[in-house]
Amino acid sequence: QVQLVESGGGLVQAGGSLRLSCVASVVAFSFKTMAWYRQAPGLQRELVATITKFGATNYADSVKGRFTISRDNAKNTVDLQISSLKPEDTGVYYCNIAGINYWGKGAPVTVSS
């Protein structure tokens, strides 16, 4: 009943950018708050950004001004544009549906120095 498929990860040099995408197979996508999380090697999963059904966004302090979350309710997708990347941005990035404890495989991002 729920599927989350992330894509767009890869290897990028510091200062570069990537666009991560997530296709959410879930009913009533347009009514749900969506989020992106990331998990760096050896660390806990952390919340990176959220976007409500109305399009209101919030970001972790560490990524403000560098990352942009967006959604397309017609396509059931939520994207994360990640820019001005730093080595500490390295990790596996996951999209998530608020209130639903389900996780996909994630998109690995490696930022080289």
Side-chain angles (χ1 to χ4, degrees), residues 9-26:
L11 174 65
V12 62
Q13 292 185 339
S17 64
L18 291 169
R19 188 173 185 88
L20 308 179
S21 295
C22 172
V23 180
S25 297
V26 60

Side-chain angles (χ1 to χ4, degrees), residues 40-107:
L43 300 178
Q44 296 291 106
R45 184 188 293 124
E46 65 173 339
L47 180 63
V48 174
T50 62
I51 183 166
T52 72
K53 61 183 180 181
F54 303 110
T57 59
N58 277 288
Y59 299 92
D61 288 342
S62 60
V63 307
K64 283 182 179 177
R66 301 189 299 117
F67 291 11
T68 302
I69 188 171
S70 61
R71 68 190 296 161
D72 186 335
N73 289 338
K75 298 179 179 179
N76 281 22
T77 59
V78 57
D79 290 1
L80 186 71
Q81 178 72 36
I82 59 176
S83 303
S84 300
L85 289 167
K86 308 172 182 179
E88 53 262 41
D89 294 319
T90 292
V92 179
Y93 285 68
Y94 302 89
C95 63
N96 182 252
I97 306 166
I100 299 179
N101 187 23
Y102 179 87
W103 303 91
K105 294 183 177 181

